[in-house]
Amino acid sequence: MKNQEPDDVYFMRKALSLARRGRGETSPNPMVGAVIVVNNNIVGQGYHKRCGDLHAEINAINNTQKRVKGSTFYITLEPCSHFGRTPPCVEALLKEKPKRVVIGSVDPNPRVRGKGVKILQSNGVRVDVGILESECLQLNEHYVKHITSGIPYVTVKYAQTLDGRIATKSGDSQWISSEQSRKYVHHLRRIHDSIMVGRKTVATDDPRLTVRHVKGKNPLRIIVDTKLRIPLKSFVLKDAAVNKTIIATTEEASSGKVSAINNLGAEVLIVNKDSNGGVDLQDLLKALGKRDIISLMVEGGSKLITSLLKRNLVDKMIIPIAPKIIGKGVEAIGDLSIDTIADAITFSSYTIVRKGGDIIFEGTITK
């Protein structure tokens, strides 16, 4: 269906640039950008700013200097064809009488997939799909994972030394990474719906798990605690009435502790046990997915990260690596029961950038 013309890539890149402005604000909706072109000139542009607001196509139409019949629309994601929080965008497009609509990628949502394209075509509009398709899908990797699987996109993040330690043998970990790396982590928190750590991390580090070094909203905090032993004086419980917090536990939790935590403003979520008697992480992800949590960043500790990797529940890993060596200490990842190199976890793509004195590895796990 892709029938590319000379300037299609240029204008789709413009639409992608617009779409990125919605990062961290549109969930559970995707990020979308739209550009309206007449005679190779942009006459209107817009993006989806936040969930519940007007979609990109509508904002582009509203920002058009004048109505021009026969224009070309460049849209990063297929326009919706159903009533949701807003009316169908495809109907608004047809009212503008475009000559051509160029779509970056088909929407994987079963309610939309291909329907918007067919409606446009049935009304005599030329539709070309697949311009910068991989970039458009990657932009919405959180949305794509959630809408196709029902569970959040899972990113594991931890800072380590050059020899793979996340703490010294005494448990000291502040600070392995540079100030620039830590600021980047707060940016990552801003663009994820939720953040998860294990109970031991809370007991050891007493983290806030909030966004402080950049502007943005705080993610939903999730603490995995099989027997509900989290200290009631923990930061994540002190401000739970303001910053939404879930403690994921099992039926082993005492009713008295459940009540105490609920009274502090946090939610205790009872999930099934796995075969080892711990919180069933797959069950937990399903519960989060049902709440329209489309992205989850896991910040530790080693036991939780290892469990997620062993169950093939991780999509991406982001690892700030500091140029430090401490020798014996806490391993970032425990035993994965991998005996041969052929069975090692690999990455379908990755990037390496510098933040301060650190290098940051960001890779998508091969599925």
Side-chain angles (χ1 to χ4, degrees):
M1 198 181 293
K2 181 165 66 174
N3 187 8
Q4 190 169 320
E5 294 190 358
D7 294 315
D8 284 353
V9 169
Y10 173 81
F11 289 121
M12 189 59 74
R13 288 204 187 282
K14 289 285 188 181
L16 274 167
S17 179
L18 288 165
R20 293 188 186 99
R21 296 184 186 180
R23 191 180 297 277
E25 301 294 336
T26 64
S27 179
N29 290 349
M31 292 173 276
V32 184
V35 171
I36 305 173
V37 175
V38 176
N39 296 327
N40 278 346
N41 293 311
I42 296 176
V43 298
Q45 56 186 0
Y47 68 99
H48 185 39
K49 295 181 178 180
R50 61 189 62 85
C51 181
D53 275 10
L54 297 175
H55 287 189
E57 303 92 319
I58 309 304
N59 280 327
I61 291 169
N62 290 343
N63 290 331
T64 304
Q65 294 129 8
K66 58 180 179 179
R67 295 289 184 267
V68 181
K69 180 180 177 181
S71 60
T72 297
F73 276 73
Y74 290 86
I75 312 169
T76 56
L77 191 69
E78 178 182 12
C80 62
S81 54
H82 66 287
F83 279 91
R85 294 180 178 89
T86 58
C89 291
V90 71
E91 292 184 5
L93 283 179
L94 289 173
K95 289 180 181 179
E96 298 302 306
K97 301 187 184 310
K99 180 180 179 181
R100 182 174 178 239
V101 175
V102 182
I103 297 170
S105 63
V106 170
D107 193 331
N109 186 340
R111 299 179 66 187
V112 180
R113 190 170 50 213
K115 295 176 183 176
V117 172
K118 290 180 180 177
I119 292 172
L120 290 169
Q121 290 175 328
S122 66
N123 281 273
V125 179
R126 175 185 164 187
V127 181
D128 292 313
V129 181
I131 306 300
L132 298 183
E133 182 177 34
S134 60
E135 289 92 332
C136 292
L137 289 173
Q138 184 179 23
L139 175 69
N140 283 306
E141 58 190 1
H142 296 171
Y143 168 78
V144 172
K145 169 69 180 298
H146 177 256
I147 207 70
T148 56
S149 70
I151 63 176
Y153 188 97
V154 178
T155 298
V156 164
K157 189 285 311 176
Y158 58 83
Q160 69 169 44
T161 59
L162 204 57
D163 52 345
R165 304 293 187 238
I166 59 174
T168 65
K169 60 183 178 181
S170 67
D172 182 32
S173 62
Q174 298 183 358
W175 296 102
I176 285 177
S177 58
S178 67
E179 182 179 350
Q180 293 90 333
S181 290
R182 297 196 298 275
K183 184 175 181 179
Y184 179 60
V185 168
H186 282 251
H187 162 72
L188 294 174
R189 289 179 181 178
R190 183 187 76 81
I191 65 174
H192 283 79
D193 291 344
S194 58
I195 184 171
M196 179 188 288
V197 299
R199 191 271 314 170
K200 188 175 180 180
T201 295
V202 173
T204 303
D205 298 336
D206 200 15
R208 298 184 184 185
L209 303 178
T210 56
V211 175
R212 299 185 300 281
H213 300 312
V214 298
K215 292 182 179 180
K217 66 182 186 300
N218 291 323
L220 165 67
R221 300 179 300 197
I222 304 162
I223 314 302
V224 178
D225 185 358
T226 300
K227 297 182 180 180
L228 207 58
R229 294 182 294 179
I230 183 173
L232 292 178
K233 294 184 179 181
S234 302
F235 267 122
V236 292
L237 294 181
K238 284 180 180 178
D239 67 351
V242 177
N243 297 312
K244 192 173 181 182
T245 305
I246 291 176
I247 315 298
T249 188
T250 67
E251 58 188 13
E252 289 192 36
S254 73
S255 57
K257 192 71 174 284
V258 170
S259 296
I261 290 173
N262 285 336
N263 288 337
L264 290 171
E267 175 188 356
V268 177
L269 177 63
I270 307 295
V271 298
N272 294 326
K273 292 183 181 180
D274 61 17
S275 58
N276 296 317
V279 169
D280 187 321
L281 296 173
Q282 179 77 49
D283 191 47
L284 175 56
L285 291 181
K286 288 180 180 177
L288 296 176
K290 289 178 180 178
R291 298 178 181 216
D292 278 342
I293 302 299
I294 73 171
S295 60
L296 167 68
M297 186 165 76
V298 180
E299 290 203 25
S302 178
K303 182 179 178 181
L304 177 59
I305 292 170
T306 302
S307 296
L308 287 162
L309 286 169
K310 288 185 75 169
R311 289 161 178 77
N312 195 31
L313 295 174
V314 180
D315 298 292
K316 178 177 287 189
M317 298 188 73
I318 300 178
I319 309 170
I321 304 171
K324 300 173 183 176
I325 295 175
I326 60 175
K328 188 175 181 180
V330 180
E331 293 180 328
I333 301 171
D335 182 16
L336 295 176
S337 301
I338 294 175
D339 295 320
T340 65
I341 295 298
D343 292 328
I345 294 172
T346 59
F347 296 84
S348 59
S349 64
Y350 64 87
T351 59
I352 296 175
V353 298
R354 289 193 63 177
K355 296 288 183 182
D358 305 336
I359 61 171
I360 297 183
F361 171 91
E362 180 171 333
T364 301
I365 290 179
T366 305
K367 295 293 186 178

